[in-house]
Amino acid sequence: MGLTMLAPGSSPEQRGRLALQWRQVSWITCWIALYAVEALPTCPFSCKCDSRSLEVDCSGLGLTAVPPDVPAATRTLLLLNNKLSALPSWAFANLSSLQRLDLSNNFLDQLPHSIFGDLTNLTELQLRNNSIRTLDRDLLRHSPLLRHLDLSINGLAQLPPGLFDGLLALRSLSLRSNRLQNLDRLTFEPLANLQLLQVGDNPWECDCNLRDFKHWMEWFSYRGGRLDQLACTLPKELRGKDMRMVPMEMFNYCSQLEDENSSAGLDIPGPPCTKASPEPAKPKPGAEPEPEPSTACPQKQRHRPVSVRRAMGTVIIAGVVCGIVCIMMVVAAAYGCIYASLMAKYHRELKKRQPLMGDPEGEHEDQKQISSVA
């Protein structure tokens, strides 16, 4: 085609030169086309892919397994609103560029400990509204860049120690609507950069097992962290009350219980005590009766309820404050009386001095007052 466009009077040399150039351009064009076809990632069937943001959206398709042909360069993978119930450990293999993974609203009940092993660049993980009951402590070990983690609306009853070790970049963590009753402070110690923690809608038992976590929450709030309400479910006296509003005096008995438990292990076991005293054996004639060891149960000191101890402390503090206020009032009254007496004495002396000074205006005013009274 390029040869037909040459002028009729062109020389054979020009024609050969132009033909060679045309062949070179054709080869370059073919190579560019083949490279572009190979570089374009293939999109999984029925999924939506965005080549600019490198996002693969497979949400709401009723999938029961992760598509095997997800492009390796994918940065965002959306798998929410599907029917995923079990995932193999190699489900996200070779997706090292993945930064955001959303598995919300599925039926996942257990995750293999190495399922996120290749996701070294993961920054956001959404596992909201599944049926996860347990987590392996090494689940997030290979994702040190994780910033947002959502584990809300699951069946978690406890968190394994060491789950958050190495997650120094974590900013937000949601544990809402699970079955958590208490948490260990050591589990949250590595989260030095955490800014938002959601723990509401859990059946919290505000007892000694939650005391250390209360200390951590106070420290977390003090350094500017945001925390939603942690409402107590048990005991009944604290039901519906925010754990942060419970005074620390309520947990003073925890140390007493620890001391009792530690001392109980050092006690020498003795014969079991019985409330009904056994009948004494009849002494033999001519022999002195031997004293028998007492088998009566020792009376244990009754533990005062927390509310009683708190009320006693409140009464003592109120009494001290009232005493100080009363003393201040007495001092103020005495000062007022002294001041009033001094001012009255001053006015009396002032009135006595006015006639001696010969003030005609004062005498004139006195006469007016006397006439008005008459």
Side-chain angles (χ1 to χ4, degrees), residues 18 23 61 68 134 142 149 189 191 206 232-233 265 280 283 295 368:
L18 291 176
R23 290 177 183 177
L61 300 178
T134 59
H142 301 282
L149 177 60
E189 288 289 347
L191 304 180
C206 299
C232 300
T233 303
T295 58
K368 287 183 178 180

Side-chain angles (χ1 to χ4, degrees), residues 108-110 130-135 154-158 179:
L108 300 173
D109 57 355
Q110 191 173 2
N130 280 278
S131 303
I132 304 173
R133 297 184 179 182
T134 59
L135 294 174
N154 280 282
L156 296 173
Q158 61 181 356
R179 299 179 182 178

Side-chain angles (χ1 to χ4, degrees), residues 316-330:
I316 294 173
I317 295 174
V320 173
V321 174
C322 290
I324 295 174
V325 172
C326 291
I327 293 173
M328 294 176 65
M329 291 177 65
V330 170

Side-chain angles (χ1 to χ4, degrees), residues 183-249:
L183 291 173
D184 189 1
R185 175 178 181 173
L186 297 178
T187 306
F188 293 83
E189 288 289 347
L191 304 180
N193 295 314
L194 189 65
Q195 300 176 359
L196 174 63
L197 177 61
Q198 297 178 342
V199 291
D201 299 330
N202 280 284
W204 299 111
E205 293 185 3
C206 299
D207 54 7
C208 295
N209 294 327
L210 205 60
R211 178 186 57 177
D212 293 339
F213 186 70
K214 173 179 169 60
H215 287 291
W216 183 87
M217 286 193 303
E218 294 176 352
W219 171 81
F220 178 69
S221 301
Y222 176 76
R223 67 177 180 85
R226 291 178 294 166
L227 182 69
D228 61 349
Q229 185 179 12
L230 192 153
C232 300
T233 303
L234 293 175
K236 295 182 179 179
E237 294 79 7
L238 301 177
R239 181 173 296 173
K241 191 171 184 178
D242 194 345
M243 180 65 176
R244 292 170 294 179
M245 300 294 106
V246 178
M248 288 304 302
E249 290 78 11

Side-chain angles (χ1 to χ4, degrees), residues 267-273:
D267 293 341
I268 300 175
C273 62

Side-chain angles (χ1 to χ4, degrees), residues 5-84:
M5 296 176 62
L6 296 175
S10 59
S11 62
E13 295 180 357
Q14 293 179 351
R15 293 181 181 180
R17 187 181 303 171
L18 291 176
L20 181 61
Q21 293 179 356
W22 177 255
R23 290 177 183 177
Q24 292 177 353
V25 171
S26 300
W27 278 107
I28 293 174
T29 305
C30 292
W31 278 109
I32 292 175
L34 291 175
Y35 179 78
V37 171
E38 292 179 356
L40 289 175
T42 58
C43 188
F45 181 73
S46 300
C47 297
K48 300 177 183 179
C49 299
D50 189 347
S51 58
R52 294 183 178 180
S53 61
L54 299 179
E55 177 181 298
V56 178
D57 186 0
C58 300
S59 59
L61 300 178
L63 300 177
T64 57
V66 178
D69 53 347
V70 177
T74 302
R75 293 183 180 179
T76 301
L77 179 58
L78 306 179
L79 293 169
L80 63 159
N81 300 326
N82 282 290
K83 298 180 180 180
L84 303 174

